[in-house]
Amino acid sequence: MTSSADLHKRRSAAVARGVSSVIASYVDTAGGGTLRDVDGREWIDFASGIAVTNVGNSAPRVVEAVRAQAERFTHTCFMVAPYESYVAVCEQLIDLAPGAGEKRAALFNSGAEAVENAVKIARHATGRPAVIVFDHAYHGRTNLTMALTAKNMPYKQGFGPFAPEIYRVPMSYPLRDGGLSGPEAAARAVDTIEKQVGAGNVAAVLIEPVQGEGGFVVPAPGFLPALAAWSRTAGAVLIADEIQTGFCRTGSWFAAEHEALEPDLVTTAKGMGGGLPIAGVVGRADLMDAVHAGGLGGTYGGNPIACAAALAAIETMRELDLNAAARSIEARLLPALTALRDPGIAEARGRGAMLAIELVHPGTLDPDPARTAAVARACHDAGLLVLTCGTYGNVLRLLPPLVIADRDLDRGLEILRQALL
Ligand code: PLZ
């Protein structure tokens, strides 16, 4: 088999430099919670392809559903000749998303596309222009979603000008906002909105209930409910971006549930497809149906193979109770992370199987991205695939597949412990 070193040479001559990879090893096979590279080396997977393979790589039901659908038909375009599985995925989204009222859903290909469409729907339904986003937010790499994303490097540098009518307000970040309570942090955000934007101009308040790329930031309790209450009064659409948090990742179907939040719209992607590209917007029927017929769509949105995979992935989540699995991963890892006696760890945090440690220079809150990168590299050298994140690049995040074996979790944790020494 071609070695990783050879593939890397070919890649350098063929793949644009702007597309980079975390590790230099090339994957041969992957299953459950491990990967094997073309050099025959085994990796413990604490990345899940960035929170995608919640049901594990090549989950049996997903593989079978994809195969069966590929034999029936591969593509017709739902806007041309519709099919049942698209409808069935929308029914599942409606069933699983928080909120008791009447809902509708629509399917797309990627997280960024789902966010773009949620904003389109909110603007159309309200007739207003402004979109409120938060410090440390990540929503994608298309032009509108780059504008919604906070961090410049590597996401935005040189790619502007960006879409207008996007306003950024302070997030609740308990480690870094001087101990503001959730309601206090919300009042600070609302004050900025009212003074700088004007409540009557706000189409949408867009927020990740637990921030992903921005550093696995869990807002203080009460922050999200206070924002929801303000949005309702202001007539703004509350959009929960659950692309990274959704589909059992945090120990519930959606992270909004942890605070009994009922967003007006929810964006989904990643975990819902069991590894195939599919995304959705689900939410209040009156908002979703405000858009004229033909106003939403795309050639591939809700592709039949991706829909078959999503239905199989959701079935797997129910069958194996992956919400409970995520909670037991939290119970196994978070106390161990909290117990790490390391003066450079400012905080261990997260929900379910979305866990992180934030690294600082001891005795301060100054971020330590150099050590974070070094620890990640040491983990890679020892066969553990971990990722970093955070506005300051100083957060090490753990995102194992929810079906990972306890033994692999423990092995991964031990590698991380050694890497921190
Ligand atoms: N919203 C909350 O986490 C994707 C990005 C990786 P796409 N996060 C991983 C990278 O460097 O590109 C994400 C997310 C949240 C939106 C998105 C965007 O989803 O499917 O990558 O477009």
Side-chain angles (χ1 to χ4, degrees):
M1 194 181 302
T2 318
S3 69
S4 288
D6 287 342
L7 287 171
H8 197 73
K9 259 186 230 134
R10 275 170 57 195
R11 176 216 183 107
S12 304
V15 180
R17 192 173 63 137
V19 183
S20 64
S21 302
V22 172
I23 59 171
S25 298
Y26 285 69
V27 180
D28 181 26
T29 58
T34 59
L35 290 83
R36 186 169 288 276
D37 68 25
V38 294
D39 309 305
R41 187 159 172 240
E42 202 202 47
W43 293 74
I44 297 167
D45 183 9
F46 275 16
S48 299
I50 322 188
V52 169
T53 51
N54 295 3
V55 295
N57 240 300
S58 299
R61 276 185 187 280
V62 173
V63 171
E64 176 49 29
V66 164
R67 195 198 54 74
Q69 180 57 46
E71 283 177 355
R72 284 177 62 217
F73 60 97
T74 51
H75 175 82
T76 59
C77 184
F78 190 75
M79 300 189 305
V80 175
Y83 39 88
E84 181 181 354
S85 57
Y86 187 112
V87 179
V89 173
C90 290
E91 288 168 347
Q92 290 294 324
L93 288 178
I94 287 167
D95 184 35
L96 295 172
E102 204 178 335
K103 285 175 257 170
R104 299 282 185 274
L107 303 180
F108 305 98
N109 301 294
S110 66
E113 212 189 333
V115 173
E116 292 251 1
N117 278 279
V119 170
K120 280 167 67 173
I121 292 162
R123 282 180 168 155
H124 194 104
T126 60
R128 301 173 178 185
V131 179
I132 306 299
V133 288
F134 292 81
D135 287 333
H136 315 290
Y138 183 90
H139 298 291
R141 292 178 182 264
T142 58
N143 186 266
L144 173 62
T145 59
M146 276 192 292
L148 300 168
T149 290
K151 191 174 175 176
N152 180 50
M153 272 302 273
Y155 307 122
K156 301 166 78 164
Q157 175 62 36
F159 299 140
F162 302 112
E165 288 299 325
I166 310 297
Y167 301 91
R168 193 168 307 286
V169 302
M171 177 66 185
S172 165
Y173 192 154
L175 179 68
R176 293 189 176 277
D177 63 11
L180 286 184
S181 71
E184 286 166 346
R188 180 177 65 169
V190 161
D191 185 64
T192 309
I193 299 170
E194 289 180 342
K195 297 296 179 298
Q196 298 184 20
V197 187
N201 297 317
V202 179
V205 174
L206 168 63
I207 189 158
E208 301 154 85
V210 176
Q211 288 184 324
E213 305 307 303
F216 280 28
V217 179
V218 186
F223 180 71
L224 296 170
L227 283 178
W230 181 85
S231 300
R232 207 171 307 119
T233 311
V237 176
L238 181 73
I239 307 172
D241 181 344
E242 295 253 15
I243 285 162
Q244 189 152 166
T245 48
F247 289 94
C248 310
R249 177 51 59 184
T250 68
S252 53
W253 286 100
F254 293 101
E257 293 166 42
H258 295 292
E259 291 205 77
L261 196 70
E262 294 192 0
D264 299 310
L265 299 177
V266 174
T267 56
T268 69
K270 291 191 185 273
M272 80 181 279
L276 272 85
I278 185 166
V281 180
V282 57
R284 271 170 48 193
D286 60 321
L287 301 173
M288 295 293 294
D289 281 343
V291 178
H292 49 276
L296 304 173
T299 304
Y300 290 113
N303 165 274
I305 296 178
C307 284
L311 293 171
I314 293 167
E315 211 173 310
T316 303
M317 292 171 200
R318 291 187 199 277
E319 184 184 51
L320 302 181
D321 194 356
L322 293 189
N323 283 317
R327 290 192 296 268
S328 83
I329 290 172
E330 176 181 337
R332 207 170 180 91
L333 289 190
L334 191 54
L337 295 173
T338 306
L340 290 170
R341 290 276 157 261
D342 184 320
I345 299 178
E347 188 176 53
R349 61 173 177 256
R351 276 193 206 286
M354 186 170 180
L355 300 169
I357 52 176
E358 176 158 354
L359 297 172
V360 295
H361 293 282
T364 73
L365 279 179
D366 299 343
D368 193 347
R371 182 169 181 224
T372 310
V375 171
R377 223 167 16 247
C379 288
H380 302 161
D381 290 344
L384 174 67
L385 188 51
V386 288
L387 304 173
T388 61
C389 64
T391 296
Y392 314 106
N394 68 324
V395 179
L396 202 85
R397 56 171 154 169
L398 313 183
L399 285 168
L402 308 180
V403 297
I404 193 169
D406 284 347
R407 189 180 59 95
D408 291 329
L409 274 184
D410 294 343
R411 280 166 62 207
L413 188 62
E414 189 46 40
I415 291 174
L416 175 59
R417 258 198 213 104
Q418 295 298 323
L420 282 161
L421 293 179

